[in-house]
Amino acid sequence: MRELAGIVALLAGLWLAAADAGFRTPESLVRNVYAHYGDGAPELSKGLPRDAASARQFFDPSLRRVWSAPRVEPYDFLVQSPNWKLGPVAIAVVRRQYDKTYVAANFDNRGRKVTLNFVLVNGPEGWLITDVESPHDSLRMFLEQFRK
């Protein structure tokens, strides 16, 4: 009986560790990205952090290194501006294709309409971002372009 309890506890711990990395739904992932762009608590109003822990929580392994690499960029890609005052963010799953789910995020940033499509994958760590597409660019290309 103790062995069974130990196995259950181990599996629960592994599940919780995996849940810490990603998110349970595509919508919750995008909602949590934009929680970092509000007017609330100072730690949640500076944009999505560029540290390794945030990269692990929000991005798939192929994008983590690029997200947290040092760079000089002219604006924050996730709000399409160097500064922000966002209106309500509308989030909707627009397409499920094989292993990817596309989620549209629409919002107003200082009077300018912004539409981004998040490309998400669901794996053992939960839902993670593999790319974000704007009408003119993608997050991957943007980050590579402004690497030091």
Side-chain angles (χ1 to χ4, degrees):
M1 189 64 154
R2 266 188 204 186
E3 292 172 6
L4 181 60
I7 292 171
V8 169
L10 176 64
L11 291 175
L14 291 174
W15 181 80
L16 288 174
D20 285 345
F23 294 89
R24 294 177 129 185
T25 68
E27 297 90 345
S28 69
L29 170 53
V30 177
R31 199 173 300 112
N32 276 279
V33 165
Y34 288 106
H36 290 275
Y37 292 90
D39 287 331
E43 65 275 5
L44 293 177
S45 299
K46 297 178 183 174
L48 190 62
R50 303 300 178 120
D51 61 348
S54 296
R56 190 172 44 259
Q57 182 180 17
F58 286 93
F59 297 101
D60 77 340
S62 67
L63 196 54
R64 289 175 187 163
R65 179 188 54 78
V66 183
W67 176 256
S68 52
R71 67 190 161 281
V72 177
E73 52 196 31
Y75 60 92
D76 187 321
F77 188 88
L78 298 174
V79 292
Q80 299 286 295
S81 176
N83 48 42
W84 54 86
K85 182 162 179 65
L86 303 184
V89 180
I91 300 166
V93 173
V94 292
R95 181 175 42 165
R96 295 182 194 275
Q97 183 177 352
Y98 304 108
D99 63 335
K100 295 179 181 162
T101 296
Y102 294 78
V103 177
N106 297 290
F107 54 90
D108 180 90
N109 184 9
R110 297 191 181 270
R112 195 173 129 249
K113 299 235 178 269
V114 177
T115 299
L116 296 173
N117 287 313
F118 285 74
V119 183
L120 308 177
V121 292
N122 190 10
E125 298 174 301
W127 287 97
L128 297 168
I129 300 167
T130 191
D131 206 357
V132 181
E133 301 168 339
S134 76
H136 310 289
D137 204 355
S138 79
L139 179 61
R140 283 182 185 279
M141 292 186 328
F142 178 80
L143 294 174
E144 285 295 331
Q145 179 181 3
F146 294 105
R147 278 179 71 175
K148 284 187 175 181

